[in-house]
Amino acid sequence: MGSFEPQYGWLAIGLILAAAEMAAPGVFLIWLAGAALITGLIVWAVPIGLPIQVAVFAALAIVSVVLGRRYIAANPLVSADPLMNDRGGRLVGETVVVASAIDGGTGKVHHGDSEWLARGPDAEPGTRMRVSGHDGTVLIVEHLH
């Protein structure tokens, strides 16, 4: 039976951390994965004791997290569709039809196959209105111009 070779342990830890980042993305574990992989490569090239390996990993982890956070702050991730999970926001500018009279500022409107609570000027059922905003799940509507 061969002796334990620590570089394989560090490389395995790096791959496990990278896989964990993919499973639960948070842009944090990837920096630790990089530190573990670099530690594994250093241990492979230079035989050093376990306490120094741990110190190298800790130093690389701190440096990689700090540099990674700076990089993310300077290059923020921009969503391809910022309104993906904002159904009300997607309807701003759309035309809706009053389903239940808007009386006293509140009522219901229809868009597609959905009915929404609405706030806006009084209007009778069947009136076409434009969505000008939303407050949570309540659409803010106005008369078409």
Side-chain angles (χ1 to χ4, degrees), residues 55-82:
V56 167
F57 170 73
L60 287 172
I62 290 168
V63 168
S64 66
V65 168
V66 168
L67 292 177
R69 289 177 58 93
R70 283 188 187 163
Y71 175 80
I72 295 297
N75 302 290
L77 300 173
V78 179
S79 173
D81 186 0

Side-chain angles (χ1 to χ4, degrees), residues 10 13 17 32-33 35-37 39 52-62:
W10 287 110
I13 290 169
L17 288 168
L32 299 179
L37 291 171
T39 301
I52 295 176
Q53 292 175 31
V54 172
V56 167
F57 170 73
L60 287 172
I62 290 168

Side-chain angles (χ1 to χ4, degrees), residues 102-142:
I102 299 177
D103 186 23
T106 61
K108 292 184 179 180
V109 295
H110 228 73
H111 182 273
D113 61 355
S114 299
E115 192 168 83
W116 293 75
L117 292 174
R119 279 198 322 248
D122 291 351
E124 294 298 316
T127 306
R128 296 171 56 85
M129 302 187 87
R130 187 178 79 81
V131 178
S132 60
H134 72 98
D135 182 11
T137 58
V138 178
L139 298 180
I140 310 299
V141 297
E142 62 187 18

